[in-house]
Amino acid sequence: MTAASPAPAPGRIRVGSAPDSWGVWFPDDPQQVPWQRFLDEVAEAGYEWIELGPYGYLPTDPARLAEEVGRRKLKVSAGTVFTALHRGPGVWDATWEHVSQVAALTQAMGARHLVVIPSFWRDDKTAELIEPPRLTAEQWRDLSTGMERLGREVRERFGLDIVVHPHADTHIDGEENVARFLDATDPDLVGLCLDTGHYAYCGGDSVKLIETYGERIGYLHLKQVDPEILADVVKNEVPFGPAVQRGVMCEPPHGVPALEPVLAAARKLDVDLFAIVEQDMYPCPPDKPFPIAQRTRRFLRSCGA
């Protein structure tokens, strides 16, 4: 009779925050806090890890950015890119020009992940419809093959892993489209950034997704939605930008999904994961984000994160 093997150690969750939690959606916007204030406050709130946010918001010179984050004892977990690969091979060159800029800075900061957000089918400022919200079969093929190519190129040239971020008002949003996308792409090339708030916004169950596609989860965004506001948003088909202005993304633990079971399910995967706090608040008063960040960090510590 042999002794039972010890249970695997639970995965480690590294918690961080991002410019998004300070109301930052764009590289340069007078309604956003200056990048120096973001860095000062995210460090003072108790976070060690940050994302780069929209390319150009933080300094893009690697030496300067390394000095700025280093003296605040911060580290970078990922960069973020926006893509429209469903539009076919004709957009590849422009996509790669953008991706390679962000990937180079991400690599220089010692990070290993590139968060890939599909393009919106609504304008993110005006909410104007840009293109149909549903893809054709051909567009799905272009999206999946394009993402696989992106994952391969980013890994070979920069040593980074891509994690695709399902997002409201994009073609990769709720359970049906996320499953379709994951089933159509190579797990070795394309991971998933599960944003708990966006997935709930689109009707998905984060714990179920982790339990079903756990091997694809490479990164987490921790976020909650206000269920009452969300119900009105869904009923009246409110675009995402105006929904954010109504407060649909709310401060934990006052919304859904509950983050404790999400973190518990993620730990069972037995992999190390970044869990980056985001609370979409564009635009917001400059003094609003910091106290929320402090309270959220305390709450996540109470969850063992």
Side-chain angles (χ1 to χ4, degrees), residues 32-288:
Q32 299 175 169
V33 298
W35 63 265
Q36 296 93 334
R37 179 170 180 175
F38 160 68
L39 291 179
D40 289 341
E41 292 187 349
V42 73
E44 189 176 347
Y47 293 100
E48 182 181 358
W49 296 91
I50 61 165
E51 290 183 1
L52 295 178
Y55 184 77
Y57 174 67
L58 294 176
T60 56
D61 175 71
R64 185 182 182 198
L65 182 57
E67 193 278 329
E68 294 287 353
V69 299
R71 67 185 181 87
R72 294 172 174 89
K73 297 182 172 56
L74 295 170
K75 292 179 283 188
V76 174
S77 61
T80 301
V81 296
F82 293 84
T83 61
L85 294 170
H86 67 285
R87 295 175 186 164
V91 303
W92 175 261
D93 289 345
T95 299
W96 184 250
E97 182 180 2
H98 166 60
V99 168
S100 59
Q101 279 186 317
V102 181
L105 184 59
T106 303
Q107 178 192 45
M109 292 300 103
R112 293 295 308 275
H113 295 90
L114 198 63
V115 177
V116 181
I117 299 179
S119 62
F120 298 166
W121 43 263
R122 282 186 174 123
D123 185 273
D124 51 8
K125 279 194 171 180
T126 68
E128 178 186 359
L129 195 68
I130 299 172
E131 57 188 318
R134 301 189 71 84
L135 298 178
T136 66
E138 181 180 4
Q139 288 174 320
W140 271 111
R141 286 192 296 272
D142 285 334
L143 175 61
S144 58
T145 58
M147 283 293 188
E148 289 178 335
R149 181 183 180 185
L150 190 71
R152 185 181 299 109
E153 295 281 348
V154 166
R155 181 176 296 169
E156 290 178 355
R157 300 195 189 193
F158 298 101
L160 307 176
D161 292 327
I162 70 165
V163 283
V164 178
H165 181 320
H167 196 293
D169 287 1
T170 77
H171 298 108
I172 306 175
D173 48 10
E175 183 175 347
E176 179 183 353
N177 286 335
V178 169
R180 181 172 183 170
F181 174 73
L182 291 176
D183 291 343
T185 49
D186 184 343
D188 186 55
L189 295 174
V190 181
L192 193 75
C193 170
L194 169 58
D195 185 303
T196 60
H198 279 280
Y199 201 55
Y201 184 103
C202 299
D205 182 328
S206 289
V207 171
K208 179 183 176 183
L209 182 65
I210 293 171
E211 292 174 347
T212 306
Y213 287 98
E215 76 282 358
R216 303 299 294 274
I217 308 295
Y219 202 89
L220 296 173
H221 279 173
L222 300 181
K223 186 181 296 179
Q224 288 189 325
V225 295
D226 182 311
E228 292 186 5
I229 298 176
L230 179 63
D232 183 69
V233 163
V234 172
K235 177 182 177 182
N236 294 294
E237 299 182 352
V238 178
F240 180 67
V244 166
Q245 294 177 29
R246 294 186 184 191
V248 70
M249 297 298 180
C250 63
E251 177 183 345
H254 307 302
V256 296
L259 296 181
E260 297 94 325
V262 171
L263 290 167
R267 289 191 190 95
K268 290 180 182 177
L269 298 177
D270 192 29
V271 294
D272 290 347
L273 287 172
F274 284 104
I276 304 301
V277 176
E278 287 192 328
Q279 183 180 343
D280 292 298
M281 294 191 292
Y282 176 85
C284 70
D287 294 332
K288 182 178 179 181

